[in-house]
């Protein structure tokens, strides 16, 4: 994948920020240092500062475009370009919002990330890999002529809430895990297509763009039609159910 598009991602800032706010509310204590893994364009640093105004925050992301956007919007915060799987920053609180699902084998990485937290390791990941939006993405991308350009679209499955305590609840740790399904009411033309095009569909769209911009346009038309059928528009907007899974591991 070439890189993320901060502008596209920030189209639904309020909806994408809600899970992080819920996650932060469940973090105990008063960390003096915080590492935000997968900080994106830095728009959620304000949530951390509102909760812990005196904390030193470091944002980490593997996307040059996201880090550039974060540094421009928030020059007072340190933002570091690094791979989440190999980053070695430590802090009282290590937190991650909707990023670990992009790390291959993220379950195997969890204890390593937790060990870098002096107090708490907290994260949220999407749990909607079998929702119509993602299932249709895989189905349409598997058809000709798209399949030759993109190959199989990975099903980026995350664990259910009961599985994360099994991975993180070691001696000296207490783990709180839960799930929330948000119903976002989106507006405008093809809102679900615009939502997923900024995140889950981004690698597929970029592969098609690299092959042939016309092929991408054809795919978006076909995928968009399938999404409109799966997510019909109502008088009040287009409802999008989005399941998310949370975990907060705290040193006892």
């Amino acid at each position: 994948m070439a890189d993320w598009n901060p502008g596209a991602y920030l189209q639904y800032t309020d909806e994408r920020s809600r899970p992080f706010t819920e996650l932060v509310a469940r973090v105990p204590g008063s960390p003096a240092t915080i590492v935000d893994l997968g900080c994106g364009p830095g728009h959620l640093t304000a949530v951390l500062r509102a909760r812990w105004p005196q904390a030193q925050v470091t944002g980490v992301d593997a996307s040059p475009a996201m880090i550039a956007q974060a540094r421009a919007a928030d020059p007072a915060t340190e933002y570091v370009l690094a791979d989440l799987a190999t980053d070695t920053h430590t802090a009282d609180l290590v937190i991650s919002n909707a990023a670990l699902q992009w790390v291959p084998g993220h379950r195997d990485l969890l204890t390593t990330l937790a060990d870098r937290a002096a107090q708490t390791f907290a994260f949220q990941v999407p749990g909607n890999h079998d929702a119509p939006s993602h299932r249709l993405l895989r189905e349409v991308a598997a058809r000709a002529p798209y399949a030759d350009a993109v190959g199989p679209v990975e099903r980026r499955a995350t664990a259910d809430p009961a599985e994360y305590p099994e991975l993180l609840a070691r001696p000296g740790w207490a783990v709180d895990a839960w799930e929330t399904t948000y119903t976002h009411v989106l507006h405008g033309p093809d809102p679900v297509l615009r939502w997923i095009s900024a995140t889950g569909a981004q690698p597929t769209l970029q592969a098609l763009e690299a092959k042939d911009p016309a092929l991408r346009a054809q795919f978006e038309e076909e995928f968009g039609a399938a999404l409109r059928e799966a997510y019909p528009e109502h008088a009040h907007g287009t409802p999008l159910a989005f399941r998310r899974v949370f975990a907060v591991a705290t040193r006892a």
Side-chain angles (χ1 to χ4, degrees):
M1 195 171 93
D3 201 354
W4 292 101
N5 184 329
Y9 183 83
L10 290 171
Q11 285 184 22
Y12 295 104
T13 304
D14 291 344
E15 291 85 353
R16 297 192 197 280
S17 300
R18 283 181 60 191
F20 189 68
T21 302
E22 182 177 349
L23 179 65
V24 167
R26 299 280 281 269
V27 174
S30 299
T33 54
I34 302 172
V35 169
D36 181 4
L37 293 176
C39 63
H43 61 300
L44 296 177
T45 302
V47 177
L48 296 171
R49 296 204 182 284
R51 176 75 188 276
W52 301 289
Q54 305 305 317
Q56 175 186 333
V57 180
T58 300
V60 178
D61 204 285
S63 163
M66 290 292 198
I67 289 294
Q69 172 79 14
R71 288 171 175 168
D74 182 18
T77 298
E78 180 186 18
Y79 291 101
V80 178
L81 181 64
D83 191 298
L84 271 62
T86 57
D87 179 69
T88 58
H89 282 85
T90 60
D92 291 338
L93 168 62
V94 175
I95 193 166
S96 182
N97 183 66
L100 294 180
Q101 75 276 9
W102 293 102
V103 179
H106 81 279
R107 291 171 173 85
D108 299 330
L109 186 64
L110 293 179
T111 55
T112 299
L113 295 177
D115 286 342
R116 294 179 187 151
Q119 297 175 5
T120 305
F121 171 52
F123 64 90
Q124 174 271 125
V125 286
N128 64 334
H129 37 271
D130 288 326
S133 55
H134 289 64
R135 177 174 48 78
L136 289 170
L137 173 65
R138 297 191 294 268
E139 290 179 4
V140 177
R143 301 171 188 166
Y146 316 118
D148 289 341
V150 302
V153 175
E154 183 180 354
R155 178 178 177 271
R156 297 185 181 275
T158 53
D160 289 330
E163 185 175 345
Y164 286 122
E166 292 294 319
L167 297 170
L168 289 165
R170 301 167 289 161
W173 288 87
V175 182
D176 178 21
W178 71 97
E179 66 177 81
T180 299
T181 297
Y182 299 87
T183 300
H184 302 302
V185 180
L186 309 180
H187 301 278
D190 287 322
V192 180
L193 177 62
R194 285 188 286 120
W195 175 288
I196 194 173
S197 293
T199 52
Q202 188 82 169
T204 301
L205 295 176
Q206 289 192 5
L208 291 167
E209 179 79 18
K211 181 75 172 180
D212 182 357
L215 191 63
R216 170 175 174 160
Q218 181 181 336
F219 175 86
E220 287 182 318
E221 183 175 346
E222 189 171 340
F223 183 37
L227 290 174
R228 287 193 296 274
E229 183 175 352
Y231 298 92
E233 183 179 13
H234 298 268
H236 61 281
T238 302
L240 171 65
F242 201 119
R243 176 178 179 256
R244 297 187 183 264
V245 179
F246 302 76
V248 175
T250 306
R251 291 187 186 270

